[in-house]
Amino acid sequence: MDRSKPTTKNGPRWHSLVAKYSLKDLADATLIGCDRFVRVFHLDPGLLVGLWKRAEELAFVVASLHFHQLVERSTLGSAAAPYELPPHTPLLDDSPEYGLHGYQLHIDIHSSGTFSLCSTFRNLFTKKGCIENGYAKLIVIHFQNSAEHLPLVGKVGLSWRTDVFDGCIKSCAVMDLTLLDEYRKPFWCFSSPVCMRPSPSPSGGPHFAGETYCIEHKDAAGTVHVQLVWLEETEEYFIVSLVLYLSTARINRWFGTEY
């Protein structure tokens, strides 16, 4: 930032690099949806890129930023370098033989200010026997327990608008996830575009007549897997399963354990 120039009245006084993306990587980006005007791609972490269908030119760019330490990231970095998070000191896990316990999850699914889901789940746990293949399985909503199943409110779609056109990418939305450990410290946080895709119906549980879908997000910390069913009678999606797969490498760094 050129400090010799006067700042605008309501403009930024300081530039702080929050994230850096290369649109040259768009060929490797994930296509998550389209409408009659645009195709929409997802670039990690949390960038949504819309391209005009006819000209393959840039239509819009939307960045999804989780609020955890966003103030520090927005103010304490520089124009050339992002804010460096303080080094993490491993927290003592006083009962590693029992697995993970006392976790709390808050999850939102939303688009353009409209929330389809806004829920908090407390006292989540997983036994040590559920830790395998480098991941700890944390079941939030059990497929077999219909009392835990939740509806998505309203129509699911990712709205967009430019100076000339607007539209809605069906079956796409933004997912915000905050997972707190037993000490109420943020263990895993992200905000990312997601999309629903057709999925085989799960076995070993209640039977649903509607079509089944899944939403999945994966990064270095773990994977979120959401299973949904479309109920034609009420014209709404129901979440029938929600499972987190937490990376044991991250767990070990966080707690100093050796799962």
Side-chain angles (χ1 to χ4, degrees), residues 28-254:
D28 300 324
T30 303
L31 176 66
I32 65 170
C34 62
D35 61 13
R36 60 178 180 151
F37 293 119
V38 298
R39 294 190 301 151
V40 177
F41 295 85
H42 172 216
L43 271 174
D44 287 325
L47 188 71
L48 199 67
V49 179
L51 296 182
W52 297 115
K53 275 187 172 181
R54 295 186 64 181
E56 286 292 324
E57 294 178 346
L58 189 65
F60 59 84
V61 175
V62 179
S64 301
L65 302 173
H66 194 278
F67 60 83
H68 177 55
Q69 293 185 316
L70 183 58
V71 172
E72 293 89 339
R73 294 165 60 198
S74 301
T75 58
L76 300 181
S78 69
Y83 165 69
E84 291 189 9
L85 300 177
H88 172 71
T89 302
L91 303 169
L92 177 63
D93 186 350
D94 54 1
S95 54
E97 66 275 10
Y98 296 111
L100 309 178
H101 55 86
Y103 278 61
Q104 178 175 305
L105 171 70
H106 184 83
I107 184 170
D108 296 325
I109 296 179
H110 61 93
S111 172
S112 303
T114 301
F115 283 75
S116 299
L117 177 70
C118 180
S119 295
T120 300
F121 305 88
R122 297 178 173 84
N123 298 320
L124 302 175
F125 68 92
T126 183
K127 297 179 180 179
K128 193 172 183 179
C130 295
I131 301 176
E132 58 182 7
N133 299 323
Y135 289 93
K137 184 178 181 180
L138 199 64
I139 301 178
V140 182
I141 295 178
H142 294 74
F143 177 66
Q144 294 83 358
N145 187 354
S146 58
E148 296 180 355
H149 299 171
L150 294 174
L152 292 186
V153 179
K155 295 183 178 180
V156 179
L158 198 61
S159 300
W160 62 271
R161 179 185 297 274
T162 67
D163 293 338
V164 181
F165 299 106
D166 60 72
C168 183
I169 311 299
K170 293 182 179 180
S171 301
C172 295
V174 174
M175 176 185 289
D176 298 333
L177 180 143
T178 306
L179 181 66
L180 306 180
D181 65 18
E182 59 185 288
Y183 301 103
R184 295 297 179 263
K185 301 291 185 182
F187 176 81
W188 186 18
C189 303
F190 71 79
S191 178
S192 177
V194 293
C195 66
M196 283 191 289
R197 303 187 188 278
S199 172
S201 179
S203 59
H207 173 71
F208 296 98
E211 297 178 343
T212 56
Y213 299 84
C214 72
I215 297 174
E216 191 166 275
H217 169 86
K218 185 175 183 179
D219 59 31
T223 300
V224 183
H225 187 83
V226 184
Q227 199 81 29
L228 307 101
V229 172
W230 171 253
L231 299 183
E232 193 68 38
E233 298 81 3
T234 57
E235 295 187 342
E236 61 185 345
Y237 293 98
F238 254 77
I239 296 178
V240 297
S241 174
L242 172 55
V243 182
L244 308 183
Y245 297 90
L246 307 181
S247 165
T248 54
R250 180 171 178 83
I251 294 172
N252 291 336
R253 288 195 303 269
W254 193 258

